[in-house]
Amino acid sequence: MILPLASTDLLPKIIMGVDPGTQIMGYAIIEVQGQRVRVVQYDVINMKALGSNHAVKLKKIYDRMVELIDEFLPDELAIEAPFFGVNVQSMLKLGRAQGVAIAACLSRQIPYVEYAPTKVKQSVTGSGNATKEQVAHWLRQTLELPPIEQASKFLDATDALAVAMCHHYQKGNNVKAGGKSWGKFIADNPGKLAAPVAGKKAAVSKKKPAA
C-alpha cells in the first residue's frame, strides 16, 4: 500500500536562532511541526572570562557553534543582523562574531537567514522598539518559559529564541536571503559611511534533499 506523501508543513523542522555578541552570544533551538513549537534548548555562550583577545573569542564561537550543530542537527539558522551604531569598532567586532557563527553553519551546509533587530521584535511582540525584558515576557507567556525574574541572566538567550520564532513565522520564505543586510544598509544609509564600502554577498549552501 502506497501512502500519500506528508505535507512539508507537517514534517518536523529544527531551527537554530542566534543573537550574536562578543561577550555573550545567545542561542536557541526550537522544533517546529506545523504550528506546534517545542523549545529544545536556549542558553548563552559566555566569553567574558576569555579577556580581550578577540581572536580567542571568535574561535570559541566557532567551536561551540559546531558542537551545537552536531548535537541538534538544525535544518536552518536564523541569526540577528548586527545593529549598526555609532561605535565603528564595536560594530566590526560584532560583525565578525556573526560571520564566524554563519561560517560554522555553512561548514555543515546549513542555510542561514539574517533578520534585523526591529524585524525580530516586531514579529514576536508587535513593536519594533520592544526591550529585551518585553521580548522575554512575550516568550514566557507564549512558550511557557520560566518567569523573567528567574531567567533574567538569559536575556541574550531569549533574544536568540525570538530570532528563531521570527524565522518560524516567515515559514522559511527567506531561506535564500542570507548575506544581504550589509549591502542593504549601505544602500539605505549612504550618508553614514565616510567612504564607499563594497559589500559582498555571502554564499548560502543548500542541503541535499532526504532520500
Side-chain angles (χ1 to χ4, degrees):
M1 178 179 177
I2 299 177
L3 297 175
L5 293 175
S7 168
T8 55
D9 288 340
L10 299 179
L11 297 176
K13 176 192 291 186
I14 302 296
I15 298 173
M16 183 176 191
V18 169
D19 176 35
T22 56
Q23 296 291 337
I24 296 178
M25 176 176 283
Y27 70 86
I29 308 292
I30 63 173
E31 181 186 69
V32 176
Q33 188 166 17
Q35 294 302 311
R36 185 185 65 82
V37 176
R38 181 174 71 90
V39 178
V40 179
Q41 186 176 111
Y42 67 111
D43 207 337
V44 297
I45 303 172
N46 194 329
M47 293 162 283
K48 289 183 177 180
L50 298 180
S52 59
N53 191 321
H54 191 55
V56 172
K57 293 179 180 180
L58 294 179
K59 186 178 186 304
K60 171 71 173 181
I61 291 170
Y62 185 88
D63 290 345
R64 183 60 179 140
M65 284 289 296
V66 169
E67 288 177 356
L68 292 168
I69 292 165
D70 290 345
E71 179 179 358
F72 294 105
L73 303 175
D75 296 290
E76 296 162 5
L77 167 72
I79 190 165
E80 188 169 279
F83 175 77
F84 298 101
V86 295
N87 189 321
V88 177
Q89 288 301 317
S90 294
M91 184 179 73
L92 289 174
K93 288 181 179 180
L94 188 58
R96 291 181 193 131
Q98 189 217 33
V100 166
I102 291 173
C105 281
L106 293 181
S107 74
R108 295 297 191 264
Q109 299 190 9
I110 298 170
Y112 76 95
V113 187
E114 287 181 288
Y115 292 100
T118 52
K119 172 69 175 179
V120 173
K121 294 174 183 178
Q122 177 71 34
S123 178
V124 301
T125 70
S127 171
N129 296 317
T131 64
K132 285 178 175 285
E133 289 79 10
Q134 289 170 330
V135 169
H137 178 73
W138 181 91
L139 292 169
R140 176 174 64 85
Q141 289 190 320
T142 306
L143 301 174
E144 300 181 355
L145 301 178
I148 186 63
E149 58 266 22
Q150 296 179 19
S152 58
K153 66 178 180 179
F154 292 119
L155 289 178
D156 291 289
T158 49
D159 276 356
L161 185 54
V163 178
M165 290 298 295
C166 175
H167 183 63
H168 164 55
Y169 293 146
Q170 306 307 307
K171 295 188 179 297
N173 293 332
N174 293 327
V175 168
K176 298 180 180 180
K180 295 183 179 178
S181 294
W182 178 237
K184 186 176 186 303
F185 174 77
I186 294 173
D188 293 346
N189 304 274
K192 290 190 177 182
L193 297 178
V197 178
K200 293 184 179 180
K201 183 176 181 180
V204 179
S205 299
K206 295 181 180 179
K207 297 182 70 177
K208 295 180 180 180

